[in-house]
Amino acid sequence: MILAFSLAAAVLFGSGAFLLLKRDLIRMVAGIMLISQSAVVTIIASSLSRGQAAIAVAPGDTVSDPLPQALALTALVIGLATVALLLALVHRAIVVFRTAEQDELAATEAEHEAALERARQADREEVETSPDDERQADSERAR
């Protein structure tokens, strides 16, 4: 039984790592989901012992450990919150940049940075011209 859980965790983690290395943001989120689920399967596999529930146990009886179950539940909740946040961020990136491909996002960001740098340079040039220079230019135009 433990071999089946180990194999399932390995397949989930391997598939998640494969998807995480893709260039599409949605597939990256799916990879993170699979890796999170492999952690849950690993936690559950670590507690595969037969026993009764930890409520009203007779002395000498084997008891199942409730801690791995609580950890698995916590891991599920944290994984769900992480995926929700990532999906919101990916949705916003797709709405703003109209693409989910990482390469296209990088190209769009480079174009945006270049435009910002041109605007900064124009602002610097405007600040460098002093008000005295502008008055002299106005007086020369008036003549």
Coordinates of all heavy atoms in Angstrom, one line a residue, residues 77-135:
V77 N -5.7 23.4 2.7 CA -6.2 24.8 2.8 C -5.2 25.8 2.3 O -5.5 26.7 1.5 CB -6.6 25.1 4.2 CG1 -6.9 26.6 4.4 CG2 -7.8 24.3 4.6
I78 N -3.9 25.6 2.7 CA -2.9 26.5 2.2 C -2.7 26.4 0.7 O -2.5 27.4 0.0 CB -1.6 26.2 2.9 CG1 -1.7 26.6 4.4 CG2 -0.4 26.9 2.3 CD1 -0.5 26.1 5.3
G79 N -2.8 25.1 0.2 CA -2.6 25.0 -1.3 C -3.8 25.6 -2.0 O -3.6 26.3 -3.1
L80 N -5.0 25.6 -1.5 CA -6.1 26.2 -2.1 C -6.0 27.7 -2.1 O -6.2 28.4 -3.1 CB -7.4 25.8 -1.4 CG -8.7 26.5 -2.0 CD1 -9.0 26.0 -3.4 CD2 -9.9 26.2 -1.0
A81 N -5.5 28.3 -1.0 CA -5.3 29.7 -0.9 C -4.2 30.2 -1.9 O -4.4 31.2 -2.6 CB -5.0 30.1 0.5
T82 N -3.2 29.4 -2.0 CA -2.1 29.8 -2.9 C -2.5 29.7 -4.4 O -2.2 30.6 -5.1 CB -0.9 28.8 -2.7 OG1 -0.5 28.8 -1.4 CG2 0.3 29.1 -3.6
V83 N -3.3 28.7 -4.7 CA -3.8 28.6 -6.1 C -4.8 29.7 -6.4 O -4.7 30.3 -7.5 CB -4.4 27.2 -6.3 CG1 -5.2 27.2 -7.6 CG2 -3.3 26.2 -6.3
A84 N -5.6 30.1 -5.4 CA -6.6 31.2 -5.7 C -5.8 32.5 -5.9 O -6.1 33.3 -6.8 CB -7.5 31.3 -4.5
L85 N -4.8 32.8 -5.1 CA -4.0 34.0 -5.3 C -3.3 34.0 -6.7 O -3.3 35.0 -7.4 CB -3.0 34.1 -4.2 CG -2.0 35.3 -4.3 CD1 -2.8 36.6 -4.2 CD2 -0.9 35.2 -3.3
L86 N -2.7 32.8 -7.0 CA -2.0 32.7 -8.3 C -2.9 32.9 -9.5 O -2.6 33.6 -10.5 CB -1.2 31.4 -8.4 CG 0.0 31.3 -7.5 CD1 0.6 29.9 -7.6 CD2 1.1 32.3 -8.0
L87 N -4.1 32.3 -9.4 CA -5.0 32.4 -10.5 C -5.5 33.9 -10.6 O -5.7 34.4 -11.7 CB -6.2 31.5 -10.3 CG -5.9 30.0 -10.6 CD1 -7.2 29.2 -10.3 CD2 -5.5 29.9 -12.0
A88 N -5.7 34.6 -9.5 CA -6.0 36.0 -9.6 C -4.9 36.8 -10.2 O -5.2 37.7 -11.1 CB -6.4 36.5 -8.2
L89 N -3.7 36.6 -9.9 CA -2.6 37.3 -10.5 C -2.4 37.0 -12.0 O -2.2 37.9 -12.8 CB -1.3 36.9 -9.8 CG -1.1 37.5 -8.3 CD1 0.1 36.9 -7.7 CD2 -1.1 39.0 -8.4
V90 N -2.6 35.7 -12.3 CA -2.5 35.3 -13.8 C -3.7 36.0 -14.5 O -3.5 36.4 -15.6 CB -2.5 33.8 -13.9 CG1 -2.8 33.3 -15.3 CG2 -1.2 33.2 -13.4
H91 N -4.9 36.0 -14.0 CA -6.0 36.6 -14.6 C -5.7 38.1 -14.9 O -6.0 38.6 -16.0 CB -7.3 36.4 -13.8 CG -8.4 37.2 -14.3 ND1 -9.0 36.9 -15.6 CD2 -9.2 38.2 -13.8 CE1 -10.0 37.7 -15.8 NE2 -10.1 38.5 -14.7
R92 N -5.2 38.7 -13.9 CA -4.9 40.2 -14.0 C -3.8 40.4 -15.1 O -3.9 41.3 -15.9 CB -4.4 40.8 -12.7 CG -4.1 42.2 -12.8 CD -5.4 43.0 -13.0 NE -5.1 44.4 -13.2 CZ -5.8 45.3 -13.9 NH1 -6.9 44.9 -14.5 NH2 -5.4 46.5 -14.0
A93 N -2.8 39.5 -15.1 CA -1.7 39.6 -16.1 C -2.3 39.4 -17.5 O -1.9 40.1 -18.5 CB -0.6 38.7 -15.9
I94 N -3.2 38.5 -17.7 CA -3.8 38.2 -19.0 C -4.7 39.4 -19.4 O -4.7 39.7 -20.6 CB -4.6 36.9 -18.9 CG1 -3.6 35.7 -18.8 CG2 -5.5 36.7 -20.2 CD1 -4.3 34.4 -18.6
V95 N -5.4 39.9 -18.5 CA -6.3 41.1 -18.8 C -5.5 42.3 -19.3 O -5.8 42.9 -20.3 CB -7.2 41.4 -17.6 CG1 -7.9 42.8 -17.8 CG2 -8.3 40.4 -17.5
V96 N -4.4 42.6 -18.5 CA -3.6 43.7 -18.8 C -2.7 43.5 -20.1 O -2.7 44.4 -21.0 CB -2.7 44.1 -17.6 CG1 -1.6 45.1 -18.0 CG2 -3.5 44.6 -16.5
F97 N -2.0 42.4 -20.2 CA -1.1 42.2 -21.3 C -1.6 41.4 -22.4 O -1.0 41.2 -23.4 CB 0.2 41.5 -20.7 CG 0.9 42.4 -19.8 CD1 1.0 42.0 -18.4 CD2 1.6 43.5 -20.2 CE1 1.7 42.8 -17.5 CE2 2.3 44.3 -19.3 CZ 2.3 43.9 -17.9
R98 N -2.8 40.8 -22.3 CA -3.5 40.1 -23.3 C -2.7 38.8 -23.8 O -2.8 38.4 -24.9 CB -3.8 40.9 -24.6 CG -4.6 42.2 -24.3 CD -5.7 42.4 -25.2 NE -6.4 43.6 -25.2 CZ -7.0 44.2 -24.2 NH1 -7.0 43.6 -23.0 NH2 -7.6 45.3 -24.3
T99 N -2.0 38.2 -22.9 CA -1.3 37.0 -23.2 C -0.9 36.3 -21.9 O -0.8 36.9 -20.8 CB 0.0 37.2 -24.0 OG1 0.6 36.0 -24.3 CG2 1.0 38.1 -23.2
A100 N -0.8 34.9 -22.0 CA -0.4 34.2 -20.8 C 1.0 33.5 -21.0 O 1.5 32.8 -20.2 CB -1.4 33.1 -20.5
E101 N 1.7 33.8 -22.1 CA 3.0 33.3 -22.4 C 4.0 34.2 -21.7 O 4.0 35.4 -21.8 CB 3.2 33.3 -23.9 CG 2.4 32.3 -24.7 CD 2.7 30.9 -24.3 OE1 3.9 30.5 -24.1 OE2 1.8 30.0 -24.2
Q102 N 5.0 33.5 -21.1 CA 6.0 34.2 -20.4 C 6.9 35.0 -21.3 O 7.3 36.1 -20.9 CB 6.8 33.2 -19.6 CG 7.5 33.7 -18.4 CD 8.2 32.6 -17.6 OE1 8.4 31.5 -18.1 NE2 8.4 32.8 -16.3
D103 N 7.3 34.5 -22.5 CA 8.1 35.3 -23.4 C 7.5 36.5 -23.9 O 8.1 37.6 -24.0 CB 8.5 34.4 -24.6 CG 9.4 33.2 -24.2 OD1 10.0 33.3 -23.1 OD2 9.3 32.1 -24.9
E104 N 6.2 36.4 -24.2 CA 5.5 37.6 -24.7 C 5.3 38.7 -23.6 O 5.4 39.9 -23.8 CB 4.1 37.2 -25.2 CG 4.2 36.4 -26.5 CD 2.8 35.9 -26.9 OE1 1.8 36.4 -26.5 OE2 2.8 35.0 -27.8
L105 N 5.1 38.2 -22.3 CA 5.1 39.1 -21.2 C 6.4 39.8 -21.0 O 6.4 41.0 -20.7 CB 4.7 38.4 -19.9 CG 3.2 37.9 -19.8 CD1 3.1 37.0 -18.6 CD2 2.3 39.1 -19.7
A106 N 7.5 39.1 -21.2 CA 8.8 39.8 -21.0 C 9.0 40.8 -22.1 O 9.6 41.9 -21.8 CB 9.9 38.7 -21.0
A107 N 8.6 40.5 -23.3 CA 8.8 41.4 -24.4 C 7.9 42.7 -24.2 O 8.4 43.8 -24.4 CB 8.4 40.8 -25.8
T108 N 6.7 42.5 -23.8 CA 5.8 43.6 -23.5 C 6.4 44.5 -22.3 O 6.4 45.7 -22.4 CB 4.4 43.1 -23.1 OG1 3.9 42.3 -24.2 CG2 3.5 44.3 -22.9
E109 N 6.9 43.8 -21.3 CA 7.5 44.6 -20.2 C 8.7 45.4 -20.7 O 8.9 46.5 -20.2 CB 7.9 43.6 -19.1 CG 8.4 44.3 -17.9 CD 8.8 43.3 -16.8 OE1 8.6 42.1 -16.9 OE2 9.2 43.8 -15.7
A110 N 9.5 44.8 -21.6 CA 10.7 45.5 -22.1 C 10.3 46.7 -22.9 O 10.9 47.8 -22.7 CB 11.6 44.6 -22.9
E111 N 9.3 46.6 -23.7 CA 8.8 47.8 -24.4 C 8.2 48.8 -23.5 O 8.5 50.0 -23.7 CB 7.6 47.3 -25.4 CG 8.1 46.5 -26.5 CD 6.9 45.9 -27.3 OE1 5.7 46.3 -27.0 OE2 7.1 45.1 -28.2
H112 N 7.5 48.4 -22.5 CA 7.0 49.4 -21.5 C 8.1 50.1 -20.8 O 8.1 51.3 -20.5 CB 6.1 48.7 -20.5 CG 5.4 49.6 -19.5 ND1 4.5 50.5 -19.9 CD2 5.5 49.7 -18.2 CE1 4.1 51.1 -18.8 NE2 4.7 50.6 -17.7
E113 N 9.2 49.4 -20.4 CA 10.3 50.0 -19.7 C 11.0 51.0 -20.6 O 11.5 52.0 -20.2 CB 11.3 48.9 -19.2 CG 10.9 48.3 -17.9 CD 10.9 49.2 -16.8 OE1 11.8 50.1 -16.7 OE2 10.0 49.1 -15.9
A114 N 11.2 50.6 -21.9 CA 11.8 51.6 -22.8 C 11.0 52.9 -23.0 O 11.6 53.9 -23.0 CB 12.0 50.9 -24.2
A115 N 9.7 52.7 -23.0 CA 8.8 53.9 -23.1 C 9.0 54.8 -21.9 O 9.0 56.0 -21.9 CB 7.4 53.5 -23.4
L116 N 9.0 54.1 -20.7 CA 9.2 54.9 -19.5 C 10.5 55.6 -19.4 O 10.6 56.7 -18.9 CB 9.0 53.9 -18.3 CG 7.6 53.5 -17.9 CD1 7.7 52.5 -16.8 CD2 6.8 54.7 -17.5
E117 N 11.6 54.9 -19.9 CA 12.9 55.5 -19.9 C 12.9 56.7 -20.8 O 13.6 57.7 -20.5 CB 14.0 54.5 -20.3 CG 15.4 55.0 -20.2 CD 15.7 55.5 -18.8 OE1 15.3 54.9 -17.8 OE2 16.5 56.5 -18.7
R118 N 12.3 56.7 -22.0 CA 12.2 57.8 -22.9 C 11.5 59.0 -22.2 O 11.9 60.1 -22.3 CB 11.5 57.4 -24.2 CG 12.4 56.6 -25.1 CD 11.7 56.5 -26.5 NE 10.4 55.9 -26.5 CZ 10.2 54.6 -26.6 NH1 11.2 53.7 -26.7 NH2 8.9 54.1 -26.5
A119 N 10.4 58.7 -21.5 CA 9.7 59.7 -20.8 C 10.5 60.3 -19.7 O 10.5 61.6 -19.5 CB 8.4 59.2 -20.2
R120 N 11.3 59.5 -19.0 CA 12.2 60.0 -17.9 C 13.3 60.9 -18.5 O 13.6 62.0 -17.9 CB 12.8 58.9 -17.2 CG 11.9 58.2 -16.2 CD 12.7 57.1 -15.4 NE 11.7 56.1 -14.9 CZ 11.8 54.8 -15.1 NH1 12.7 54.3 -15.9 NH2 10.9 54.0 -14.6
Q121 N 13.8 60.5 -19.6 CA 14.9 61.3 -20.3 C 14.3 62.7 -20.7 O 15.0 63.7 -20.6 CB 15.4 60.5 -21.5 CG 16.6 61.2 -22.1 CD 17.8 61.4 -21.2 OE1 18.0 60.6 -20.3 NE2 18.6 62.4 -21.3
A122 N 13.1 62.7 -21.3 CA 12.5 63.9 -21.7 C 12.2 64.8 -20.5 O 12.4 66.0 -20.5 CB 11.1 63.6 -22.4
D123 N 11.8 64.2 -19.3 CA 11.7 65.0 -18.1 C 13.0 65.6 -17.6 O 13.0 66.7 -17.2 CB 11.0 64.2 -17.0 CG 9.6 63.9 -17.3 OD1 9.0 64.5 -18.1 OD2 9.0 62.9 -16.6
R124 N 14.1 64.8 -17.7 CA 15.4 65.3 -17.3 C 15.8 66.4 -18.1 O 16.4 67.4 -17.6 CB 16.4 64.2 -17.3 CG 16.3 63.2 -16.2 CD 17.5 62.2 -16.2 NE 17.1 61.0 -15.6 CZ 16.9 59.8 -16.3 NH1 17.3 59.7 -17.5 NH2 16.5 58.7 -15.6
E125 N 15.6 66.3 -19.4 CA 16.0 67.4 -20.4 C 15.2 68.7 -20.1 O 15.7 69.8 -20.2 CB 15.8 67.0 -21.8 CG 16.8 65.9 -22.2 CD 16.5 65.3 -23.6 OE1 15.5 65.8 -24.2 OE2 17.2 64.4 -24.0
E126 N 13.9 68.5 -19.7 CA 13.1 69.7 -19.5 C 13.5 70.3 -18.2 O 13.5 71.6 -18.1 CB 11.6 69.2 -19.3 CG 10.7 70.3 -19.1 CD 9.2 69.8 -19.1 OE1 8.9 68.9 -19.8 OE2 8.5 70.4 -18.3
V127 N 13.9 69.6 -17.2 CA 14.4 70.1 -15.9 C 15.7 70.8 -16.1 O 16.0 71.9 -15.4 CB 14.5 69.0 -14.8 CG1 15.2 69.5 -13.6 CG2 13.1 68.6 -14.5
E128 N 16.6 70.3 -16.9 CA 17.9 70.9 -17.2 C 17.8 72.3 -17.8 O 18.7 73.1 -17.5 CB 18.8 70.0 -18.0 CG 19.2 68.7 -17.3 CD 19.9 67.7 -18.2 OE1 20.1 68.0 -19.4 OE2 20.3 66.7 -17.7
T129 N 16.8 72.6 -18.6 CA 16.7 73.9 -19.1 C 16.2 74.8 -18.0 O 15.1 74.6 -17.5 CB 15.7 73.9 -20.3 OG1 14.5 73.5 -19.9 CG2 16.3 73.1 -21.4
S130 N 16.9 75.8 -17.7 CA 16.6 76.7 -16.6 C 15.6 77.8 -17.0 O 15.5 78.0 -18.2 CB 17.8 77.4 -16.0 OG 18.4 78.2 -17.0
P131 N 14.9 78.4 -16.1 CA 14.0 79.5 -16.5 C 14.7 80.6 -17.1 O 14.1 81.3 -18.0 CB 13.3 79.9 -15.1 CG 13.6 78.7 -14.2 CD 14.8 78.0 -14.7
D132 N 15.9 80.9 -16.8 CA 16.7 82.0 -17.5 C 16.8 81.7 -18.9 O 16.7 82.7 -19.8 CB 18.0 82.2 -16.8 CG 17.9 82.7 -15.4 OD1 16.9 83.3 -15.0 OD2 18.8 82.4 -14.6
D133 N 17.1 80.5 -19.3 CA 17.3 80.1 -20.7 C 16.0 80.4 -21.5 O 15.9 80.8 -22.6 CB 17.7 78.7 -20.8 CG 19.1 78.4 -20.3 OD1 19.9 79.4 -20.2 OD2 19.4 77.3 -20.0
E134 N 14.8 80.1 -20.8 CA 13.6 80.3 -21.4 C 13.3 81.8 -21.6 O 12.7 82.1 -22.7 CB 12.5 79.6 -20.6 CG 12.5 78.1 -20.6 CD 11.5 77.5 -19.7 OE1 10.6 78.2 -19.2 OE2 11.5 76.3 -19.5
R135 N 13.6 82.6 -20.7 CA 13.4 84.0 -20.8 C 14.2 84.6 -21.9 O 13.8 85.4 -22.7 CB 13.7 84.7 -19.5 CG 12.7 84.6 -18.4 CD 13.0 85.4 -17.2 NE 12.5 84.7 -16.1 CZ 13.2 84.6 -14.9 NH1 14.4 85.2 -14.8 NH2 12.7 83.9 -13.9

